[in-house]
Amino acid sequence: MSAPNENKTLPGLPVDLRGKRAFIAGVADDNGYGWAIAKSLAAAGAEIVVGTWVPALNIFESSLRRGKFDESRVLPDGSLMEITKVYPMDAVFDSPEDVPEDELVESVKQDFGSIDILVHSLANGPEVSKPLLETSRYGYLAAISASSYSFISLLKHFVPIMNPGGSSISLTYIASERIIPGYGGGMSSAKAALESDTRVLAFEAGRKHKIRVNTISAGPLRSRAAKAIGFIDMMIDYSLANAPLQKELSAEEVGNTAAFLASPLASAITGAVVYVDNGLNAMGVGIDSPIFANLDIPKDN
């Protein structure tokens, strides 16, 4: 019988994270990108530690204990993903200086000593449903603080306990560089800041600590968090109609990309925005427009 988390990839060039420890910040349920990344890292052999939003902590831990996530925890080898420990954490505070990641990191240091992989899966915009033109200063700064500054603060505090050669990964969205009506409240600005910060942090963390820093620009997913925005189904339909690959994106595809970026196979990749969106980012027009009705456009068979 196979050992839990034993690597099942083809021999010769495996995504092998055995002996590595990952901290995933922002896992609150079993259907978002944070959970999918945790699963892919676990499937590659990594030990999984998570930070969960405080209001969701009790429900999350209770669901784990009662087996409600067992079906979602199944790995490719048939074993269940093990989460070694769950820590309470938050990213929404009145000012960036109030974010207490130092307490969290001290707890992780005392419990484990060090980590190798840091994943930032945190985002919040209290006025995301408002157009940018109607966003208040409070809503705008709250989106920036929770969705982009939190990554700077998290990495700043975790870097001292990250092993050289480690990897840090965050999640961004195409609204950082393209207009996505409905994705408001300063969230598009926050994602643009996150991508810019990724490049700067890649230089600083790379030079000082030999840590790689990348971000994944993921396509739309029917997660609970995304449904709060209110138009996720429309964005998925749009992607199906217009992306080069006409299929719905799975959370696992994003998780597998994160596992690759965290592995030695990506040892020379840092400061990058990696698109995992079926190629939608490459499109310049929406080909489902009636204007293109008479154009001979290849369709997925």
PDB file of all heavy atoms in Angstrom, residues 176-203:
ATOM      1  N   SER A 176      -6.633  43.300 -12.692  1.00  0.00           N
ATOM      2  CA  SER A 176      -5.483  44.157 -12.400  1.00  0.00           C
ATOM      3  C   SER A 176      -5.020  44.924 -13.623  1.00  0.00           C
ATOM      4  O   SER A 176      -4.413  45.994 -13.505  1.00  0.00           O
ATOM      5  CB  SER A 176      -4.324  43.303 -11.882  1.00  0.00           C
ATOM      6  OG  SER A 176      -3.914  42.384 -12.890  1.00  0.00           O
ATOM      7  N   GLU A 177      -5.296  44.399 -14.804  1.00  0.00           N
ATOM      8  CA  GLU A 177      -4.793  45.023 -16.033  1.00  0.00           C
ATOM      9  C   GLU A 177      -5.840  45.183 -17.121  1.00  0.00           C
ATOM     10  O   GLU A 177      -5.566  45.763 -18.171  1.00  0.00           O
ATOM     11  CB  GLU A 177      -3.628  44.200 -16.580  1.00  0.00           C
ATOM     12  CG  GLU A 177      -3.953  42.740 -16.806  1.00  0.00           C
ATOM     13  CD  GLU A 177      -2.748  41.925 -17.221  1.00  0.00           C
ATOM     14  OE1 GLU A 177      -2.327  42.065 -18.381  1.00  0.00           O
ATOM     15  OE2 GLU A 177      -2.232  41.167 -16.384  1.00  0.00           O
ATOM     16  N   ARG A 178      -7.031  44.659 -16.926  1.00  0.00           N
ATOM     17  CA  ARG A 178      -8.131  44.805 -17.878  1.00  0.00           C
ATOM     18  C   ARG A 178      -9.369  45.278 -17.133  1.00  0.00           C
ATOM     19  O   ARG A 178      -9.534  45.004 -15.954  1.00  0.00           O
ATOM     20  CB  ARG A 178      -8.446  43.462 -18.556  1.00  0.00           C
ATOM     21  CG  ARG A 178      -7.291  42.843 -19.321  1.00  0.00           C
ATOM     22  CD  ARG A 178      -7.066  43.527 -20.666  1.00  0.00           C
ATOM     23  NE  ARG A 178      -6.094  42.789 -21.462  1.00  0.00           N
ATOM     24  CZ  ARG A 178      -4.788  42.959 -21.414  1.00  0.00           C
ATOM     25  NH1 ARG A 178      -4.277  43.854 -20.583  1.00  0.00           N
ATOM     26  NH2 ARG A 178      -3.973  42.248 -22.180  1.00  0.00           N
ATOM     27  N   ILE A 179     -10.257  45.964 -17.838  1.00  0.00           N
ATOM     28  CA  ILE A 179     -11.485  46.439 -17.210  1.00  0.00           C
ATOM     29  C   ILE A 179     -12.467  45.281 -17.057  1.00  0.00           C
ATOM     30  O   ILE A 179     -12.845  44.636 -18.036  1.00  0.00           O
ATOM     31  CB  ILE A 179     -12.141  47.550 -18.058  1.00  0.00           C
ATOM     32  CG1 ILE A 179     -11.182  48.733 -18.203  1.00  0.00           C
ATOM     33  CG2 ILE A 179     -13.460  47.997 -17.434  1.00  0.00           C
ATOM     34  CD1 ILE A 179     -11.607  49.729 -19.270  1.00  0.00           C
ATOM     35  N   ILE A 180     -12.863  45.002 -15.812  1.00  0.00           N
ATOM     36  CA  ILE A 180     -13.875  43.986 -15.517  1.00  0.00           C
ATOM     37  C   ILE A 180     -15.017  44.697 -14.792  1.00  0.00           C
ATOM     38  O   ILE A 180     -14.983  44.855 -13.567  1.00  0.00           O
ATOM     39  CB  ILE A 180     -13.331  42.841 -14.642  1.00  0.00           C
ATOM     40  CG1 ILE A 180     -12.074  42.223 -15.254  1.00  0.00           C
ATOM     41  CG2 ILE A 180     -14.407  41.776 -14.423  1.00  0.00           C
ATOM     42  CD1 ILE A 180     -12.312  41.469 -16.557  1.00  0.00           C
ATOM     43  N   PRO A 181     -16.036  45.171 -15.532  1.00  0.00           N
ATOM     44  CA  PRO A 181     -17.156  45.855 -14.867  1.00  0.00           C
ATOM     45  C   PRO A 181     -17.775  44.973 -13.788  1.00  0.00           C
ATOM     46  O   PRO A 181     -18.008  43.787 -13.999  1.00  0.00           O
ATOM     47  CB  PRO A 181     -18.151  46.094 -16.019  1.00  0.00           C
ATOM     48  CG  PRO A 181     -17.298  46.106 -17.254  1.00  0.00           C
ATOM     49  CD  PRO A 181     -16.219  45.087 -16.994  1.00  0.00           C
ATOM     50  N   GLY A 182     -18.020  45.553 -12.614  1.00  0.00           N
ATOM     51  CA  GLY A 182     -18.591  44.802 -11.515  1.00  0.00           C
ATOM     52  C   GLY A 182     -17.570  44.398 -10.467  1.00  0.00           C
ATOM     53  O   GLY A 182     -17.941  44.057  -9.348  1.00  0.00           O
ATOM     54  N   TYR A 183     -16.280  44.422 -10.850  1.00  0.00           N
ATOM     55  CA  TYR A 183     -15.220  44.082  -9.902  1.00  0.00           C
ATOM     56  C   TYR A 183     -14.676  45.400  -9.365  1.00  0.00           C
ATOM     57  O   TYR A 183     -13.643  45.890  -9.797  1.00  0.00           O
ATOM     58  CB  TYR A 183     -14.134  43.278 -10.615  1.00  0.00           C
ATOM     59  CG  TYR A 183     -13.147  42.585  -9.697  1.00  0.00           C
ATOM     60  CD1 TYR A 183     -13.501  41.441  -9.000  1.00  0.00           C
ATOM     61  CD2 TYR A 183     -11.848  43.058  -9.550  1.00  0.00           C
ATOM     62  CE1 TYR A 183     -12.598  40.780  -8.178  1.00  0.00           C
ATOM     63  CE2 TYR A 183     -10.926  42.411  -8.731  1.00  0.00           C
ATOM     64  CZ  TYR A 183     -11.318  41.276  -8.045  1.00  0.00           C
ATOM     65  OH  TYR A 183     -10.419  40.624  -7.229  1.00  0.00           O
ATOM     66  N   GLY A 184     -15.425  45.983  -8.411  1.00  0.00           N
ATOM     67  CA  GLY A 184     -15.141  47.344  -7.986  1.00  0.00           C
ATOM     68  C   GLY A 184     -14.627  47.445  -6.567  1.00  0.00           C
ATOM     69  O   GLY A 184     -13.991  46.542  -6.035  1.00  0.00           O
ATOM     70  N   GLY A 185     -14.915  48.589  -5.961  1.00  0.00           N
ATOM     71  CA  GLY A 185     -14.536  48.810  -4.574  1.00  0.00           C
ATOM     72  C   GLY A 185     -13.048  48.896  -4.330  1.00  0.00           C
ATOM     73  O   GLY A 185     -12.590  48.764  -3.191  1.00  0.00           O
ATOM     74  N   GLY A 186     -12.256  49.103  -5.371  1.00  0.00           N
ATOM     75  CA  GLY A 186     -10.805  49.151  -5.222  1.00  0.00           C
ATOM     76  C   GLY A 186     -10.129  47.804  -5.356  1.00  0.00           C
ATOM     77  O   GLY A 186      -8.904  47.707  -5.240  1.00  0.00           O
ATOM     78  N   MET A 187     -10.909  46.746  -5.638  1.00  0.00           N
ATOM     79  CA  MET A 187     -10.304  45.421  -5.756  1.00  0.00           C
ATOM     80  C   MET A 187      -9.398  45.317  -6.979  1.00  0.00           C
ATOM     81  O   MET A 187      -8.363  44.650  -6.936  1.00  0.00           O
ATOM     82  CB  MET A 187     -11.382  44.343  -5.800  1.00  0.00           C
ATOM     83  CG  MET A 187     -11.974  44.014  -4.436  1.00  0.00           C
ATOM     84  SD  MET A 187     -10.726  43.470  -3.235  1.00  0.00           S
ATOM     85  CE  MET A 187     -10.084  41.996  -4.044  1.00  0.00           C
ATOM     86  N   SER A 188      -9.778  45.965  -8.082  1.00  0.00           N
ATOM     87  CA  SER A 188      -8.903  45.940  -9.263  1.00  0.00           C
ATOM     88  C   SER A 188      -7.585  46.636  -8.946  1.00  0.00           C
ATOM     89  O   SER A 188      -6.505  46.188  -9.354  1.00  0.00           O
ATOM     90  CB  SER A 188      -9.595  46.607 -10.457  1.00  0.00           C
ATOM     91  OG  SER A 188      -9.961  47.944 -10.140  1.00  0.00           O
ATOM     92  N   SER A 189      -7.655  47.719  -8.190  1.00  0.00           N
ATOM     93  CA  SER A 189      -6.446  48.440  -7.772  1.00  0.00           C
ATOM     94  C   SER A 189      -5.599  47.576  -6.852  1.00  0.00           C
ATOM     95  O   SER A 189      -4.359  47.570  -6.945  1.00  0.00           O
ATOM     96  CB  SER A 189      -6.834  49.727  -7.048  1.00  0.00           C
ATOM     97  OG  SER A 189      -7.747  50.486  -7.809  1.00  0.00           O
ATOM     98  N   ALA A 190      -6.253  46.850  -5.960  1.00  0.00           N
ATOM     99  CA  ALA A 190      -5.529  45.984  -5.020  1.00  0.00           C
ATOM    100  C   ALA A 190      -4.781  44.890  -5.760  1.00  0.00           C
ATOM    101  O   ALA A 190      -3.643  44.550  -5.413  1.00  0.00           O
ATOM    102  CB  ALA A 190      -6.502  45.381  -4.011  1.00  0.00           C
ATOM    103  N   LYS A 191      -5.400  44.312  -6.779  1.00  0.00           N
ATOM    104  CA  LYS A 191      -4.731  43.258  -7.544  1.00  0.00           C
ATOM    105  C   LYS A 191      -3.572  43.818  -8.364  1.00  0.00           C
ATOM    106  O   LYS A 191      -2.534  43.163  -8.528  1.00  0.00           O
ATOM    107  CB  LYS A 191      -5.736  42.542  -8.454  1.00  0.00           C
ATOM    108  CG  LYS A 191      -6.773  41.727  -7.696  1.00  0.00           C
ATOM    109  CD  LYS A 191      -6.134  40.673  -6.803  1.00  0.00           C
ATOM    110  CE  LYS A 191      -7.164  39.778  -6.146  1.00  0.00           C
ATOM    111  NZ  LYS A 191      -6.557  38.787  -5.224  1.00  0.00           N
ATOM    112  N   ALA A 192      -3.736  45.034  -8.885  1.00  0.00           N
ATOM    113  CA  ALA A 192      -2.622  45.672  -9.600  1.00  0.00           C
ATOM    114  C   ALA A 192      -1.458  45.918  -8.653  1.00  0.00           C
ATOM    115  O   ALA A 192      -0.292  45.692  -9.004  1.00  0.00           O
ATOM    116  CB  ALA A 192      -3.092  46.988 -10.225  1.00  0.00           C
ATOM    117  N   ALA A 193      -1.766  46.365  -7.437  1.00  0.00           N
ATOM    118  CA  ALA A 193      -0.715  46.577  -6.438  1.00  0.00           C
ATOM    119  C   ALA A 193      -0.049  45.258  -6.076  1.00  0.00           C
ATOM    120  O   ALA A 193       1.185  45.192  -5.929  1.00  0.00           O
ATOM    121  CB  ALA A 193      -1.311  47.226  -5.189  1.00  0.00           C
ATOM    122  N   LEU A 194      -0.834  44.200  -5.937  1.00  0.00           N
ATOM    123  CA  LEU A 194      -0.281  42.888  -5.586  1.00  0.00           C
ATOM    124  C   LEU A 194       0.721  42.414  -6.638  1.00  0.00           C
ATOM    125  O   LEU A 194       1.782  41.877  -6.308  1.00  0.00           O
ATOM    126  CB  LEU A 194      -1.419  41.877  -5.450  1.00  0.00           C
ATOM    127  CG  LEU A 194      -1.030  40.445  -5.075  1.00  0.00           C
ATOM    128  CD1 LEU A 194      -0.402  40.399  -3.692  1.00  0.00           C
ATOM    129  CD2 LEU A 194      -2.251  39.532  -5.136  1.00  0.00           C
ATOM    130  N   GLU A 195       0.411  42.636  -7.912  1.00  0.00           N
ATOM    131  CA  GLU A 195       1.318  42.204  -8.979  1.00  0.00           C
ATOM    132  C   GLU A 195       2.592  43.044  -8.994  1.00  0.00           C
ATOM    133  O   GLU A 195       3.697  42.518  -9.204  1.00  0.00           O
ATOM    134  CB  GLU A 195       0.594  42.252 -10.322  1.00  0.00           C
ATOM    135  CG  GLU A 195      -0.526  41.217 -10.411  1.00  0.00           C
ATOM    136  CD  GLU A 195      -1.281  41.259 -11.721  1.00  0.00           C
ATOM    137  OE1 GLU A 195      -0.769  41.853 -12.697  1.00  0.00           O
ATOM    138  OE2 GLU A 195      -2.395  40.694 -11.772  1.00  0.00           O
ATOM    139  N   SER A 196       2.459  44.334  -8.775  1.00  0.00           N
ATOM    140  CA  SER A 196       3.643  45.186  -8.694  1.00  0.00           C
ATOM    141  C   SER A 196       4.499  44.799  -7.497  1.00  0.00           C
ATOM    142  O   SER A 196       5.729  44.682  -7.596  1.00  0.00           O
ATOM    143  CB  SER A 196       3.220  46.653  -8.589  1.00  0.00           C
ATOM    144  OG  SER A 196       4.344  47.497  -8.434  1.00  0.00           O
ATOM    145  N   ASP A 197       3.842  44.561  -6.369  1.00  0.00           N
ATOM    146  CA  ASP A 197       4.567  44.155  -5.167  1.00  0.00           C
ATOM    147  C   ASP A 197       5.277  42.819  -5.367  1.00  0.00           C
ATOM    148  O   ASP A 197       6.368  42.602  -4.824  1.00  0.00           O
ATOM    149  CB  ASP A 197       3.598  44.044  -3.983  1.00  0.00           C
ATOM    150  CG  ASP A 197       2.998  45.380  -3.585  1.00  0.00           C
ATOM    151  OD1 ASP A 197       3.576  46.427  -3.953  1.00  0.00           O
ATOM    152  OD2 ASP A 197       1.942  45.383  -2.918  1.00  0.00           O
ATOM    153  N   THR A 198       4.672  41.932  -6.131  1.00  0.00           N
ATOM    154  CA  THR A 198       5.285  40.626  -6.402  1.00  0.00           C
ATOM    155  C   THR A 198       6.662  40.797  -7.030  1.00  0.00           C
ATOM    156  O   THR A 198       7.624  40.120  -6.662  1.00  0.00           O
ATOM    157  CB  THR A 198       4.385  39.793  -7.325  1.00  0.00           C
ATOM    158  OG1 THR A 198       3.171  39.470  -6.629  1.00  0.00           O
ATOM    159  CG2 THR A 198       5.072  38.508  -7.761  1.00  0.00           C
ATOM    160  N   ARG A 199       6.762  41.719  -7.980  1.00  0.00           N
ATOM    161  CA  ARG A 199       8.046  41.943  -8.649  1.00  0.00           C
ATOM    162  C   ARG A 199       9.091  42.535  -7.700  1.00  0.00           C
ATOM    163  O   ARG A 199      10.246  42.092  -7.670  1.00  0.00           O
ATOM    164  CB  ARG A 199       7.835  42.852  -9.872  1.00  0.00           C
ATOM    165  CG  ARG A 199       7.051  42.176 -10.991  1.00  0.00           C
ATOM    166  CD  ARG A 199       6.934  43.071 -12.210  1.00  0.00           C
ATOM    167  NE  ARG A 199       5.932  44.119 -12.042  1.00  0.00           N
ATOM    168  CZ  ARG A 199       4.643  43.989 -12.333  1.00  0.00           C
ATOM    169  NH1 ARG A 199       4.193  42.840 -12.800  1.00  0.00           N
ATOM    170  NH2 ARG A 199       3.803  44.992 -12.175  1.00  0.00           N
ATOM    171  N   VAL A 200       8.673  43.522  -6.912  1.00  0.00           N
ATOM    172  CA  VAL A 200       9.612  44.150  -5.983  1.00  0.00           C
ATOM    173  C   VAL A 200      10.035  43.175  -4.880  1.00  0.00           C
ATOM    174  O   VAL A 200      11.212  43.069  -4.529  1.00  0.00           O
ATOM    175  CB  VAL A 200       8.997  45.423  -5.367  1.00  0.00           C
ATOM    176  CG1 VAL A 200       9.955  46.038  -4.346  1.00  0.00           C
ATOM    177  CG2 VAL A 200       8.666  46.433  -6.457  1.00  0.00           C
ATOM    178  N   LEU A 201       9.051  42.438  -4.353  1.00  0.00           N
ATOM    179  CA  LEU A 201       9.357  41.476  -3.296  1.00  0.00           C
ATOM    180  C   LEU A 201      10.236  40.338  -3.809  1.00  0.00           C
ATOM    181  O   LEU A 201      11.059  39.795  -3.064  1.00  0.00           O
ATOM    182  CB  LEU A 201       8.063  40.918  -2.708  1.00  0.00           C
ATOM    183  CG  LEU A 201       7.219  41.921  -1.909  1.00  0.00           C
ATOM    184  CD1 LEU A 201       5.858  41.325  -1.577  1.00  0.00           C
ATOM    185  CD2 LEU A 201       7.935  42.367  -0.642  1.00  0.00           C
ATOM    186  N   ALA A 202      10.059  39.977  -5.080  1.00  0.00           N
ATOM    187  CA  ALA A 202      10.909  38.937  -5.667  1.00  0.00           C
ATOM    188  C   ALA A 202      12.372  39.368  -5.623  1.00  0.00           C
ATOM    189  O   ALA A 202      13.266  38.565  -5.323  1.00  0.00           O
ATOM    190  CB  ALA A 202      10.479  38.649  -7.106  1.00  0.00           C
ATOM    191  N   PHE A 203      12.616  40.650  -5.903  1.00  0.00           N
ATOM    192  CA  PHE A 203      13.989  41.169  -5.856  1.00  0.00           C
ATOM    193  C   PHE A 203      14.511  41.197  -4.422  1.00  0.00           C
ATOM    194  O   PHE A 203      15.597  40.679  -4.121  1.00  0.00           O
ATOM    195  CB  PHE A 203      14.043  42.574  -6.458  1.00  0.00           C
ATOM    196  CG  PHE A 203      15.383  43.228  -6.340  1.00  0.00           C
ATOM    197  CD1 PHE A 203      16.408  42.894  -7.206  1.00  0.00           C
ATOM    198  CD2 PHE A 203      15.630  44.178  -5.346  1.00  0.00           C
ATOM    199  CE1 PHE A 203      17.659  43.487  -7.091  1.00  0.00           C
ATOM    200  CE2 PHE A 203      16.872  44.774  -5.227  1.00  0.00           C
ATOM    201  CZ  PHE A 203      17.892  44.423  -6.105  1.00  0.00           C
TER     202      PHE A 203
END
